[in-house]
Amino acid sequence: MKLHLHRFALPLEHEFTISRESTTVQDTLVVELEQDGVSGFGETATNHYYGHSLDSMSAAAERCRGILATAVPSDPAGLWRLLHDELGKDHFTLSAIDQAVHDLHGKLEGRPTYEFLELTWHDMLPQSCFTIGIDSVPKMVQKLEEQPGWPAYKIKLGTADDVEIMRALRETTSAPLRVDANCGWTVSETIANSRELEKLGVEFIEQPLPAGAAMEEHRHVCQESVLPVFADEICQVEADVTRCHGVFHGINVKLCKCGGLTPAVRMLQQARDLEMQTMVGCMLESSVAISAAAQLLPLVDFADLDGAALLARDVASGVMIERGTVRLSSTPGNGVALLDPDSSGD
């Protein structure tokens, strides 16, 4: 397989703020793997929190060029093991390559990726929520009003006005609300907030405490919160699923953190075996990564796949998220095509 790398700067529709940072343009790396004139695509966005830049990920991908040149896309799991040994803890780059391998394999075989993952697509799969980033209360209300009709909204919190924000948003919509504190709360804040948020019809809380908090603190929150608590930043790789069992009610799996579709399937299946709730999430990403993550919908209870919907301009076509409803591409594999690969400047 031939390796091509594409760098993009993805402009956002609105400045996107979480408890630790704000973003107006998201840099992202798209990996293209080509064989017999057919191309598969994968993506991973840069992330300061996890320590990955365009330069670091590009350099890591280049280290894999030799392995990829002699590999075949028909055994994604086997290739993932080889690349994991080469890349070590750089799961972001590994994820982009793994997505591209699955996309290419499906296109060459003329079948969608979810079938190769031994999953079944059906009409009752979870719909995606739409995320509202932190802002002033009026601005957050405006952002929600600009996106009517989504089946649920995930609200980023971690401010001194969190309950006020949620009350204002509840007055704006009757749709289910979810909360993501991105490590921004203390134990006492989480427990107290859960009681107020339950009154406002919030479904669950995602990652309230810092990932580095003691497990006993996470466990205490799990026991005392009146709302389910999902792990995100603390649940990155396969070994974390068991560690989170009994400490969180559910997990949010993101491809870039775990290393792609290959380990994500195992994580979600393991969580289901442990009777934990499951969610597939995303970063600020184009339709390349969203189309890959969407292949996992048969394994999850909740979906947060709005990354491309938050962009002012996408760089790819693929799976469509229409007011939360996920519509597959007619193209096999992950269904991805770059709209203008030459615009990446790579």
Side-chain angles (χ1 to χ4, degrees):
M1 294 180 286
K2 297 179 182 178
L3 171 68
H4 308 283
L5 301 178
H6 307 275
R7 299 184 180 203
F8 294 99
L10 306 175
L12 306 186
E13 188 69 34
H14 295 286
E15 181 178 54
F16 191 78
T17 299
I18 62 175
S19 62
R20 57 178 175 260
E21 63 183 347
S22 297
T23 308
T24 56
V25 176
Q26 176 64 60
D27 291 331
T28 197
L29 180 70
V30 172
V31 169
E32 176 183 359
L33 294 178
E34 180 188 357
Q35 180 172 300
D36 301 329
V38 178
S39 290
F41 300 94
E43 176 189 12
T44 189
T46 62
N47 191 288
H48 299 299
Y49 180 78
Y50 293 105
H52 298 288
S53 66
L54 285 177
D55 287 342
S56 69
M57 294 187 297
S58 297
E62 289 292 347
R63 295 206 311 271
C64 300
R65 189 177 291 275
I67 296 174
L68 294 169
T70 58
V72 294
S74 56
D75 182 19
L79 180 55
W80 186 90
R81 288 191 294 270
L82 286 175
L83 295 173
H84 184 269
D85 291 342
E86 174 64 35
L87 293 172
K89 295 182 178 181
D90 186 352
H91 296 136
F92 274 56
T93 304
L94 179 58
S95 173
I97 298 174
D98 185 69
Q99 293 170 43
V101 173
H102 279 88
D103 191 33
L104 178 58
H105 179 39
K107 287 172 177 172
L108 290 171
E109 297 294 328
R111 293 168 57 193
T113 294
Y114 68 83
E115 287 188 2
F116 287 108
L117 299 177
E118 300 182 352
L119 303 177
T120 301
W121 201 271
H122 54 83
D123 293 337
M124 299 304 293
L125 291 175
Q127 295 179 299
S128 174
C129 61
F130 184 85
T131 305
I132 307 295
I134 294 173
D135 212 317
S136 66
V137 175
K139 188 66 173 179
M140 293 179 75
V141 169
Q142 177 189 333
K143 290 177 181 179
L144 193 151
E145 290 176 336
E146 289 176 358
Q147 293 288 339
W150 286 74
Y153 295 89
K154 183 163 86 170
I155 314 304
K156 295 288 189 178
L157 297 179
T159 78
D161 304 315
D162 287 342
V163 174
E164 178 189 349
I165 289 170
M166 296 306 297
R167 285 175 179 153
L169 294 178
R170 173 48 73 213
E171 291 176 359
T172 307
T173 180
S174 60
L177 299 175
R178 303 162 186 174
V179 161
D180 185 359
N182 281 117
C183 309
W185 290 348
T186 64
V187 171
S188 59
E189 283 176 327
T190 304
I191 295 170
N193 286 343
S194 74
R195 296 174 182 140
E196 294 300 318
L197 297 176
E198 182 192 36
K199 300 172 186 175
L200 296 172
V202 170
E203 292 184 308
F204 59 79
I205 300 169
E206 189 177 336
Q207 193 66 49
L209 305 186
M215 292 305 286
E216 282 308 310
E217 291 184 303
H218 292 292
R219 190 187 308 276
H220 183 61
V221 162
C222 181
Q223 293 171 342
E224 297 298 325
S225 171
V226 298
L227 293 174
V229 182
F230 275 67
D232 184 356
E233 281 87 344
I234 199 173
C235 188
Q236 299 184 35
V237 296
E238 292 176 70
D240 294 331
V241 178
T242 301
R243 197 163 64 98
C244 289
H245 181 234
V247 185
F248 292 88
H249 300 94
I251 63 169
N252 181 7
V253 171
K254 294 180 180 175
L255 299 185
C256 60
K257 294 190 301 181
C258 69
L261 286 164
T262 296
V265 169
R266 297 193 292 257
M267 291 178 71
L268 292 169
Q269 289 174 333
Q270 183 182 7
R272 289 162 71 92
D273 290 342
L274 293 170
E275 298 184 347
M276 300 176 74
Q277 296 183 77
T278 55
M279 174 165 52
V280 61
C282 66
M283 302 294 198
L284 294 169
E285 301 162 328
S286 79
S287 288
V288 176
I290 298 302
S291 297
Q295 307 301 315
L296 301 173
L297 281 177
L299 284 173
V300 302
D301 302 302
F302 302 98
D304 176 16
L305 297 176
D306 64 342
L310 295 167
L311 304 179
R313 184 176 65 255
D314 205 342
V315 298
S317 62
V319 167
M320 294 289 293
I321 312 292
E322 299 176 349
R323 289 293 188 269
T325 300
V326 181
R327 304 193 186 282
L328 293 173
S329 167
S330 60
T331 303
N334 303 339
V336 177
L338 284 190
L339 298 178
D340 186 8
D342 294 330
S343 69
S344 63
D346 193 5

